[in-house]
Amino acid sequence: MDIVISEEQGVRNLHFGSPWIQGAMRIARPYALELEYTREMMASLLFTGMDAPPRRALMVGLGVGALPKFVWKHCPACTIDVVEIEPAVHAAAIQHFKWPRNDPRLQVHLGCGAEFMAHSQETYDLVLIDGFDHRARVGPLNTVEFYSDCAKRLGPQGYLAVNLLSNQKDFKPGQARLNAAFEGRSVFLPPCDSGNVIALAHNGAGFEVDAAELNARVDQIKATTGLNLKSVSTKLKATLGL
């Protein structure tokens, strides 16, 4: 894989041999979530709040490491597994994107995310799926079998977030696969400006929340982590009919 690093206006970007940005880090804020879709992938915090953050998390697709770094920084009791198929991406995260090294709370597993999920026996409170190649293909990470394996690994109070692309031919079938695997316990946020669509799913934790709770959690999360989820809350209210 052809890894290219670019910088513009204080933001460092990761590319897989094309102009398309695969990940970004604001150099002055290495643990913040720079891209809109990454902020939306933390929408589960609006259901749990920072009073019940994840204690075991899994990320499939490392990129610049933005999401696992955020969880590592702001959920100090959480241990995190990351699965990345390309060793060069892991090397780039270490060299260019301030990936924390030699911390037992962060474990990187080099290999296929679908195979890891099929064979893992762990239970996670938070599962984040963001795996694309240089042609924006996800391969086995968008199948009923993979999503079913995700459901098996997700705890009863846990949440799954998946990054989808609304301009892909497989988008609607992908929605159907996720719904099938989670028996309809999923929602899909309106597309980001970039075309990313974040899907959320659960095994029983539920999406029951009211507008006042969302507003309070937006304030709590921002005060605790600096992450502003107000726009995500607005999307959730519209999606859930609040």
Side-chain angles (χ1 to χ4, degrees), residues 49-91:
M50 292 306 294
D51 297 326
R55 299 183 66 86
R56 194 90 169 93
L58 171 65
M59 176 86 200
V60 177
L62 174 61
V64 304
L67 286 161
K69 283 194 306 179
F70 176 87
V71 175
W72 175 82
K73 177 75 171 177
H74 297 293
C75 304
C78 187
T79 56
I80 305 155
D81 286 322
V82 181
V83 185
E84 172 54 51
I85 198 167
E86 286 287 345
V89 173
H90 183 212

Side-chain angles (χ1 to χ4, degrees), residues 15-16 32 56 113 134 145 169 178 192 233-234 237:
H15 309 264
F16 292 166
R56 194 90 169 93
H134 65 291
E145 291 77 14
K169 294 179 180 179
L178 185 64
C192 303
S233 173
T234 300
K237 289 173 185 175

